[in-house]
Amino acid sequence: MTEPRRWQSEADRLAHADPSDPTAWFERLWASAAAGDVTTPWDRDDPHPVLASWPGLPEPGSGDGRAVVVGCGLGADAELLARLGYETTAFDVSPAAVAAARERHPGSRVTYAVGDLLDLPTDWVAAFDLVVEIHTVQAVNRSVRDQLTAGVRALVAPGGTLLAIQARTDVAADDGPPWPLTREEIDAFGRRGLSAVRVEELPGFGGGGAGMSRAEFRRG
């Protein structure tokens, strides 16, 4: 049996293969993972620890309103929000990722859907009381960063909260993926009617000595 290709080297290759379509590589990578051709470091059953330790999470069963997880992958973060009581939608640009999430969570209360931050369904705009974005914006080339950030902001309902969890960097670089966010890029989530509640720097969570930011914003 052929040894699976390493995820990072395959991601590096695919992410730069078609500069005209900076998000197309996700489907190619997920499809390769489904076929067993690449390793899958994102394969986890537990929610991201930076989300799970967020003080803003309600007690189980007491979550109120609608939540959405951006770039949901295999759905561990979305399943957490559903257990907490939110009516939860989770989307990914990759149909293969969404199919894998549905297969992993049969009978789930989460609505899994294919969706694109660059072309959101109109009924998702300003529709969610809690928006969770973990590592999606940083996974796409900076050439579309402003548009992706605007797409995340657009999901937040009046009075709603956005939680953005991203690897952070002091100096922007072009040698991704991933392309960690600078503090200025993290602060950009808090525009167009959103304002920062708390931006935390979490050393050591980013791997390889990198840090991570957990940023909370609210729409007035």
Side-chain angles (χ1 to χ4, degrees):
M1 182 176 178
T2 303
E3 184 72 17
R5 298 187 295 274
R6 291 185 61 83
W7 171 85
Q8 187 63 61
S9 60
E10 188 69 355
D12 290 344
R13 182 183 72 82
L14 292 173
H16 298 281
D18 185 3
S20 68
D21 192 351
T23 64
W25 70 277
F26 290 108
E27 172 63 8
R28 300 186 187 111
L29 187 63
W30 275 100
S32 294
D37 294 333
V38 297
T39 57
T40 53
W42 58 82
D43 188 347
R44 55 183 172 87
D45 293 317
D46 297 322
H48 195 288
V50 178
L51 169 62
S53 63
W54 178 45
L57 288 179
E59 293 296 318
S62 64
D64 186 27
R66 300 181 68 193
V68 65
V69 176
V70 179
C72 64
L74 290 171
D77 302 318
E79 294 296 324
L80 169 65
L81 298 184
R83 290 194 299 272
L84 294 177
Y86 290 103
E87 179 187 342
T88 305
T89 297
F91 72 93
D92 202 289
V93 73
S94 165
V98 173
R102 289 173 177 160
E103 181 178 0
R104 175 158 294 197
H105 305 286
S108 173
R109 293 186 293 138
V110 175
T111 299
Y112 288 102
V114 176
D116 187 345
L117 278 173
L118 300 177
D119 187 19
L120 291 171
T122 55
D123 59 347
W124 287 5
V125 174
F128 297 98
D129 304 291
L130 175 61
V131 177
V132 174
E133 202 295 88
I134 303 177
H135 294 173
T136 301
V137 170
Q138 73 179 51
V140 185
N141 193 287
R142 280 195 165 86
S143 63
V144 289
R145 178 146 296 172
D146 289 345
Q147 297 98 303
L148 293 173
T149 302
V152 174
R153 286 195 306 260
L155 295 164
V156 186
T161 295
L162 163 62
L163 184 69
I165 297 171
Q166 304 285 337
R168 59 171 173 78
T169 183
D170 294 328
V171 180
D174 295 324
D175 58 350
W179 291 270
L181 277 67
T182 64
R183 178 56 190 262
E184 181 180 3
E185 290 170 327
I186 292 166
D187 289 342
F189 286 104
R191 297 177 182 167
R192 301 284 183 176
L194 276 78
S195 57
V197 176
R198 184 184 298 108
V199 179
E200 301 173 273
E201 305 296 340
L202 306 173
F205 270 101
M212 191 171 293
S213 285
R214 178 170 60 195
E216 179 182 347
F217 304 88
R218 188 158 299 139
R219 187 180 296 283

